[in-house]
């Protein structure tokens, strides 16, 4: 089924200050195969991709592309050679239209050499429609959701006549249905004889679509071979560097928060949240120690609900009460003072300050607490930062490493640390494990359960149903801004959730 | 192929454009033109001497020099940068034209273009390849060019006159259909600018670079090269404008152009270009320039007001525009994402 070797990376090494990101990594991509690249967060997957595509020059090793040695010094060179890439952090221009983003650099031109917008827009619509996305291509990309943006990025990469298509965690912001569409696209690319390098943390997806797999751990290649010959457990064991027995025991990890007592006053009571076109009278109640999941599909109003609670989405009506006290709506500051903190969906644009250090990112929020008479004691800072780095197992070369240099999962943990040092009462988590590998995901889930056990109220959003079901004590199911069902106790199962989504429940 | 097309289309939560977004976009793009029209309309009724052909010629002439500088600035700002050196480079261009003209008009035009283009190239190389902040780099060349200017003119002691009959001087002073050549040159340059920004791949890539330089780089656009040439063009245009202004007044004066870069930036921003880059229009900049110049003209018409009030009014205007932009873009951002 697979053909000639298209791209061969030999003994590639790459170090960053304080970190060896890759050492002696080999990777061979053959025509017509989908090659999985897996590893925990920080294993070096994104770095390997950036080395392959000319973003980072390798420190050692060589690249052989279509039979000849190559050295890409810019992304442009790799693209011109026929390697197209969707990087992990979606890289498109938000202010520009969908069509412009698809065609930047290869815009159709009239015979006068000017851009032909009509042709470009038509081609863009046709292309996206063939990928199952219906959208007005003249709209600025910024006005569209993460799922559509991701599809645009993929369409852009797959549309060029590439010999190699690289996808770094393309499904992390996609809904299940969109994942199907993506896989159809990948099939098409594979059938066309190109090689696909596919990075994902979702094991189901890997086994569904990939032919071959390479596993990285701590910057080294630990395995490479046919996907079908590698049992799941062994794959996880390879990624984590633990033995199978250990995994079997821990594999059943679940949130096991204490059952909340119904009598307790809710730590969070949101009633009748209404915002035009987005929310229509949404109620959410969370008791101390309880984790309430929000179920729903793209556009159901899950993010809007938590944003309304956190005060970042203005509401027309509805009240939010925290621990019995009502909170002024539409004010993030008021919500924070009341003890409500939110982990936003899009950490890149909403939360993290990539150029500041891990320490600064964490203490930023804690400043009011750390300062005595306006001075921030460095020692207090250090204690808090060290505690969180240890407790959340943040992998950084030092507290002074820039957050932008950390892997996605570790950035997420830094954000979480920042929220936690405010000692909140209510924690709103919007896709807390998006783009995080299985190991870190279990850690984050365990951590959330731990926090709930300490009496925190948690609202959890995840597009992975399994995660919502496993993680929540009860689930509020939303559709088009309405609450269509409430699942409690024994009803918190994937089947019931899907049924509620499909039928809208009875009330 | 069919496997994909036959699939039910992924339902995209299409939120449509709200009225507010629509208004935001409109104010952004056309606000300066509307205000310009209003100011002209009101002034025409208020002052007999305003809506005359003579006055129009006068304003057009005054505007042309700033417009040419602001054109280069528009591209630089859209790309996410800034060029503070243009005021000094403008003055340098004028003095170099006056020096060069002693070897003929061609030399009088080439000398400023080569030197000022060179300064722009230096700016561009340092920003694009040296990865230095545009603000700092062009502040350095602002000071450097001013110093060079003072050095070659003995601290500005000698003002060089340009022979009235030279071709270059004639380009500065001659007219076509009543309007001076510099006006026509500015019009042609702006027409080219509009086409380049809106209808060419180069213009498109400038918008992309300003929108997100990292994304543009990862998409394979030649970000560094583009950036370098933008600053070069800005230097060239500033030098050309200076040379034309010198030709117009038949003298190369050292002290002109102080703060000219700020007028250019103000015109660009008033014209609806985002100071943060990624969006803007050449036409808007033209409206911004005219607006500044018309306000100045009106204040002169009033006569009793000190001309310093021009700065006050322009400043107030700029603040209002930036405030509206900020407000509208926040309105925009509030709707950026969905579940
Ligand atoms: N630009 C950078 N500067 C410094 N360190 C980096 C940079 N990019 C990645 N790293 C480090 O290299 C390691 C590998 O990261 P990455 O390739 O992003 O992992 P993965 O994609 O597998 O999660 C991590 O320790 C990360 O902190
Ligand atoms: Mg990664």
């Amino acid at each position: 089924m697979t053909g000639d070797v298209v791209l061969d990376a030999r003994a590639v090494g790459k170090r960053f200050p304080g970190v060896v990101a890759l050492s002696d990594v080999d990777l061979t991509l053959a025509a017509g195969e989908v090659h999985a690249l897996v590893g925990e967060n920080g294993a070096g997957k994104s770095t390997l991709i950036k080395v392959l595509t000319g973003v980072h020059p390798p420190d050692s090793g060589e690249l052989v592309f279509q039979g000849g040695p190559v050295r890409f010094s810019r992304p442009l060179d790799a693209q011109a050679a026929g390697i197209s890439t969707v990087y992990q952090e979606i890289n498109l221009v938000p202010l520009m239209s969908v069509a412009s983003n698809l065609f930047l650099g290869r815009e159709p031109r009239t015979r006068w050499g000017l851009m032909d917008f009509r042709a470009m827009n038509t081609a863009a619509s046709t292309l996206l429609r063939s990928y199952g996305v219906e959208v007005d291509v003249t709209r600025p990309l910024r006005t569209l959701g993460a799922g559509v943006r991701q599809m645009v990025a993929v369409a852009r990469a797959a549309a060029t006549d590439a010999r190699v298509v690289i996808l770094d965690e393309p499904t992390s912001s996609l809904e299940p249905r969109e994942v199907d569409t993506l896989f159809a696209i990948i099939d098409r690319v594979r059938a066309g004889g190109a090689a696909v390098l596919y990075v994902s943390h979702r094991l189901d997806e890997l086994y569904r679509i990939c032919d071959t797999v390479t596993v990285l751990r701590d910057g080294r290649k630990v395995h490479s071979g046919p996907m079908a010959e590698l049992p799941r457990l062994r794959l996880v064991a390879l990624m984590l560097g633990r033995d199978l027995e250990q995994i079997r025991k821990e594999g059943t990890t679940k949130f096991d928060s204490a059952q909340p007592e119904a009598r307790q006053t809710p730590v969070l009571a949101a009633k009748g949240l209404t915002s035009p076109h987005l929310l229509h009278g949404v109620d959410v109640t969370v008791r101390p120690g309880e984790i309430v999941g929000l179920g729903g599909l793209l556009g159901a109003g899950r993010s809007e609900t938590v944003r309304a609670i956190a005060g970042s989405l203005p509401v027309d009506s509805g009240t939010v009460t925290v621990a019995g006290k009502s909170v002024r709506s539409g004010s993030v500051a008021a919500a924070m003072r009341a003890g409500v903190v939110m982990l936003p969906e899009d950490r890149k644009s909403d939360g993290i300050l990539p150029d500041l250090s891990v320490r600064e990112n964490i203490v930023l929020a804690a400043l009011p607490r750390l300062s005595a008479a306006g001075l921030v004691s460095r020692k207090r800072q250090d204690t808090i930062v060290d505690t969180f780095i240890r407790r959340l197992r943040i992998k950084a070369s030092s507290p002074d490493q820039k957050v932008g240099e950390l892997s996605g999962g570790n950035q997420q943990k830094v954000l979480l640390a920042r929220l936690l040092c405010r000692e909140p009462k209510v924690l709103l988590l919007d896709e807390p494990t998006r783009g995080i590998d299985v190991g870190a995901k279990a850690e984050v889930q365990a951590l959330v359960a731990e926090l709930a056990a300490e009496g925190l109220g948690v609202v959890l959003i995840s597009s992975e149903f399994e995660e919502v079901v496993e993680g929540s004590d009860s689930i509020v199911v939303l559709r088009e801004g309405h609450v269509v069902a409430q699942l409690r106790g024994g009803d918190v199962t994937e089947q019931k959730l899907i049924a509620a989504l499909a039928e809208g429940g009875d009330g | 192929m069919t496997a994909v097309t036959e699939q039910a289309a992924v339902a995209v939560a299409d939120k449509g454009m709200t009225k507010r977004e629509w208004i935001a976009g409109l104010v952004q793009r056309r606000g300066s033109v509307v205000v310009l029209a209003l100011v002209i309309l009101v002034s025409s009724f208020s002052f007999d001497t305003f809506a005359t052909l003579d006055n129009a010629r006068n304003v057009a002439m005054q505007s042309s020099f700033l417009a040419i500088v602001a054109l280069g600035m528009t591209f630089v700002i859209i790309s996410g940068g800034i060029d503070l050196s243009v005021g000094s480079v403008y003055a340098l261009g004028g003095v170099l034209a006056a020096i060069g003209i002693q070897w003929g008009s061609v030399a009088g035009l080439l000398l400023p273009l080569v030197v000022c283009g060179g300064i722009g190239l230096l700016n561009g190389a340092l920003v694009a390849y040296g990865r230095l902040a545009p603000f700092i780099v062009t502040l350095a060349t602002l000071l450097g060019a001013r110093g060079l200017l003072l050095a070659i003119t003995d601290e500005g002691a000698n003002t060089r006159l340009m022979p009235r009959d030279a071709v270059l001087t004639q380009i500065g002073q001659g007219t076509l259909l009543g309007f001076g050549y510099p006006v026509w040159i500015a019009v042609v340059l702006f027409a080219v600018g509009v086409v380049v920004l809106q209808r060419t791949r180069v213009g498109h890539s400038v918008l992309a670079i300003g929108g997100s330089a990292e994304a543009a780089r990862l998409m394979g656009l030649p970000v560094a090269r583009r950036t370098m040439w933008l600053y070069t063009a800005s230097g060239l245009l500033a030098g050309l404008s200076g040379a034309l202004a010198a030709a117009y007044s038949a003298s190369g004066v050292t002290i002109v152009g102080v703060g000219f870069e700020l007028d250019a930036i103000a015109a660009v921003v008033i014209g609806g270009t985002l100071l943060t880059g990624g969006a803007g229009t050449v036409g808007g900049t033209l409206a911004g320039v005219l607006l500044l110049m018309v306000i100045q003209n009106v204040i002169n018409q009033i006569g009793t007001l000190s001309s310093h009030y021009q700065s006050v009014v322009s400043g107030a205007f700029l603040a209002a525009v930036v405030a509206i932009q900020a407000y509208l873009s926040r309105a925009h951002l509030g709707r950026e994402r969905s579940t």
Side-chain angles (χ1 to χ4, degrees):
Chain A
M1 176 169 84
T2 52
D4 305 336
V5 171
V6 190
L7 179 65
D8 194 12
R10 296 176 190 159
V12 169
K14 176 75 195 170
R15 50 174 69 238
F16 293 113
V19 195
V20 179
L22 296 173
S23 78
D24 284 341
V25 172
D26 299 320
L27 179 76
T28 305
L29 296 181
E33 74 166 352
V34 179
H35 194 121
L37 181 63
V38 294
E40 271 204 289
N41 269 316
K45 305 178 297 291
S46 297
T47 305
L48 179 57
I49 287 170
K50 288 184 174 166
V51 167
L52 295 180
T53 58
V55 178
H56 295 317
D59 295 336
S60 57
E62 61 168 345
L63 295 183
V64 179
F65 181 62
Q66 297 194 309
V70 284
R71 204 169 176 87
F72 303 126
S73 51
R74 300 175 297 174
L76 182 62
D77 300 340
Q79 264 163 52
I83 301 181
S84 67
T85 313
V86 177
Y87 295 94
Q88 181 170 12
E89 315 288 331
I90 301 176
N91 270 293
L92 296 169
V93 186
L95 283 172
M96 298 182 88
S97 75
V98 172
S100 293
N101 271 288
L102 277 172
F103 285 98
L104 259 174
R106 51 193 173 86
E107 299 90 341
R109 287 187 287 194
T110 63
R111 85 195 109 110
W112 305 97
L114 300 181
M115 281 193 302
D116 187 343
F117 279 102
R118 180 128 36 105
M120 186 171 90
N121 290 338
T122 313
S125 298
T126 314
L127 179 67
L128 286 178
R129 198 168 307 127
S130 79
Y131 289 172
V133 179
E134 290 278 355
V135 65
D136 174 3
V137 296
T138 61
R139 282 183 48 188
L141 199 73
R142 64 193 288 192
T143 60
L144 299 166
V148 182
R149 284 188 257 169
Q150 182 71 62
M151 292 303 285
V152 170
V154 171
R156 182 183 160 88
T160 50
D161 294 324
R163 301 306 308 147
V164 176
V165 175
I166 301 179
L167 305 169
D168 195 353
E169 302 198 24
T171 55
S172 59
S173 51
L174 296 187
E175 296 283 326
R177 258 186 313 170
E178 293 173 317
V179 172
D180 291 341
T181 312
L182 175 70
F183 283 4
I185 297 169
I186 292 179
D187 274 336
R188 216 156 87 183
V189 172
R190 165 165 50 190
V196 178
L197 183 64
Y198 186 84
V199 179
S200 175
H201 289 122
R202 300 184 183 173
L203 296 186
D204 288 338
E205 289 177 0
L206 297 175
Y207 282 97
R208 233 175 101 191
I209 192 81
C210 299
D211 307 306
T212 346
V213 57
T214 293
V215 185
L216 296 184
R217 188 171 70 235
D218 296 333
R220 295 178 178 281
K221 188 193 85 176
V222 292
H223 176 87
S224 197
M227 192 81 224
E229 290 171 19
L230 184 66
R232 269 175 193 244
L233 272 179
R234 200 159 138 58
L235 172 59
V236 175
L238 281 168
M239 280 170 61
L240 302 181
R242 299 186 201 150
D243 48 297
L244 283 173
E245 279 315 304
Q246 213 178 336
I247 301 283
R248 283 207 176 94
K249 262 186 280 160
E250 289 177 11
T252 54
T253 316
K254 268 188 147 204
F255 293 127
D256 54 347
S257 56
Q259 277 298 316
E261 292 175 41
R263 287 172 271 114
Q264 268 179 311
T265 46
V267 64
L268 171 73
K271 292 230 178 320
L273 296 175
T274 301
S275 178
H277 312 303
L278 299 173
L279 300 175
H280 309 283
V282 173
D283 297 340
V284 179
T285 307
V286 185
R287 284 164 221 293
E290 190 184 23
I291 301 176
V292 175
L294 296 186
L297 297 172
L298 186 81
R302 293 168 302 173
S303 289
E304 284 76 5
T305 300
V306 290
R307 285 176 55 212
I309 295 171
S312 69
L313 179 81
V315 290
D316 282 358
S317 62
T319 57
V320 176
T321 317
V322 174
K325 288 199 205 81
S326 86
V327 181
R328 182 156 60 88
S329 74
S331 159
V332 177
M336 277 192 177
R337 269 198 306 276
V340 178
V341 295
M342 175 165 86
L343 186 73
E345 177 186 19
D346 188 349
R347 60 178 170 262
K348 200 179 172 196
S349 67
D350 281 352
I352 216 84
L353 302 169
D355 290 333
L356 294 188
S357 67
V358 173
R359 174 206 313 282
E360 285 159 332
N361 265 284
I362 293 178
V363 295
L364 208 65
L367 277 182
R369 252 187 57 205
L370 295 181
S371 56
L375 293 176
V376 181
S377 142
R378 175 71 180 219
K379 233 177 94 193
R380 293 265 293 131
Q381 275 190 25
D382 285 345
T383 330
I384 295 209
V385 170
D386 288 345
T387 313
F388 280 113
I389 287 183
R390 255 205 330 274
R391 182 161 168 203
L392 273 62
R393 274 169 284 176
I394 296 172
K395 268 190 208 154
S397 57
S398 88
D400 294 313
Q401 192 179 7
K402 278 189 189 174
V403 164
E405 294 169 358
L406 300 184
S407 63
N410 282 304
Q411 293 190 6
Q412 190 75 317
K413 289 187 196 168
V414 169
L415 261 186
L416 203 53
R418 183 204 289 178
L419 300 182
L420 293 176
C421 65
R422 287 184 156 271
E423 298 182 340
K425 296 193 183 76
V426 178
L427 187 59
L428 309 172
L429 302 172
D430 196 350
E431 302 284 359
T433 62
R434 169 176 292 174
I436 293 187
D437 65 79
V438 280
K441 197 159 163 173
E443 282 176 16
V444 170
Q445 288 173 337
L447 190 74
V448 171
E450 218 176 287
L451 293 165
E454 288 169 14
L456 209 63
V458 179
V459 178
L460 174 71
I461 297 179
S462 169
S463 45
E464 284 175 58
F465 292 167
E466 195 187 328
E467 187 178 333
V468 186
V469 169
E470 279 193 6
S472 311
D473 302 308
S474 71
I475 298 182
V476 174
V477 185
L478 294 171
R479 205 170 62 191
E480 287 164 20
H482 296 276
V483 175
V484 291
Q486 288 251 23
L487 308 177
R488 288 201 187 78
D491 282 346
V492 180
T493 66
E494 232 170 302
Q495 285 87 339
K496 294 257 170 164
L497 173 55
I498 291 168
L501 281 174
E503 295 150 24
D506 307 315
Chain B
M1 179 89 198
T2 42
V4 182
T5 27
E6 277 168 14
Q7 250 178 22
V10 171
V12 167
D14 192 336
K15 292 167 285 178
M17 281 239 218
T18 61
K19 202 155 187 176
R20 205 165 167 193
E21 263 176 6
W22 187 77
I23 294 172
L26 207 64
V27 171
Q28 180 76 39
R29 287 189 306 273
R30 303 267 177 268
S32 54
V33 180
V34 174
V35 176
L36 176 63
L38 281 177
V39 171
I40 290 178
L41 200 67
V42 171
S43 308
S44 304
F45 284 110
S46 313
F47 308 102
D48 295 341
T49 48
F50 182 79
T52 62
L53 197 55
D54 259 357
N55 196 42
R57 286 176 182 146
N58 186 9
V59 172
M61 194 64 181
Q62 303 271 301
S63 303
S64 59
F65 307 119
L66 177 59
I68 294 172
V69 175
L71 178 62
M73 186 71 82
T74 308
F75 279 83
V76 169
I77 292 183
I78 289 177
S79 80
I82 193 96
D83 188 350
L84 297 178
S85 69
V86 291
S88 300
V89 171
Y90 168 84
L92 186 63
V95 168
L96 288 176
I99 291 175
I101 204 164
Q102 58 186 304
W103 299 291
S105 284
V106 175
L109 192 59
L110 278 185
L111 184 63
L113 289 185
V114 168
V115 174
C116 298
I119 293 175
L121 186 66
L122 178 68
N123 281 335
L126 289 174
V127 170
Y129 296 101
R131 298 186 183 235
L132 301 175
F135 183 85
I136 303 299
V137 169
T138 59
L139 184 62
T141 42
L142 177 158
L143 298 172
R146 200 46 84 178
L148 183 62
L149 191 55
L150 292 174
I152 61 176
T153 59
D154 291 336
E155 312 266 317
N158 52 18
T159 295
R160 282 170 184 269
L161 297 182
M162 294 167 71
R164 297 228 163 235
D165 51 358
V167 175
L168 181 57
T169 320
Q170 284 309 306
I171 292 177
Q173 297 180 339
T175 60
L176 174 70
L177 304 175
F179 288 92
Y181 287 134
V183 175
W184 294 108
I185 292 173
V187 166
V188 170
L189 287 173
F190 266 74
V192 172
V194 167
V195 172
V196 168
L197 182 63
Q198 291 179 1
R199 297 300 302 272
T200 67
R201 287 186 179 176
V202 170
H204 218 205
S205 68
V206 172
L207 287 161
I209 291 168
S212 167
E214 181 62 9
R217 194 173 80 94
L218 292 178
M219 282 191 198
L221 299 180
V223 175
R225 183 153 40 97
R226 279 287 126 83
T227 306
M228 186 174 79
W229 290 118
L230 285 180
Y231 284 88
T232 308
S234 177
L236 270 176
L237 288 170
L240 173 67
S241 178
L244 290 175
Y248 175 62
S249 63
S251 56
V253 186
T254 311
I255 49 153
V256 297
V258 175
F260 209 42
E261 63 281 348
L262 301 180
D263 290 340
I265 293 168
V268 170
V269 174
I270 289 174
T273 294
L274 290 184
L275 206 40
T276 46
T281 61
V282 167
T285 295
L286 186 58
V289 169
L290 290 175
L291 195 52
L292 289 180
M293 288 309 185
V294 167
I295 290 172
Q296 179 175 25
N297 184 259
V298 167
I299 286 173
N300 289 342
Q301 304 261 339
I302 296 171
T304 51
L305 279 178
S306 149
S307 64
H308 295 304
Y309 279 101
Q310 192 244 325
S311 306
V312 177
V313 176
S314 310
F317 215 86
L318 186 64
V321 169
V322 174
I324 292 173
Q325 274 188 11
Y327 169 76
L328 290 171
S329 74
R330 270 197 298 273
H332 250 268
L333 285 170
R335 298 181 32 80
E336 212 172 287
R337 286 169 305 104
S338 168
T339 301

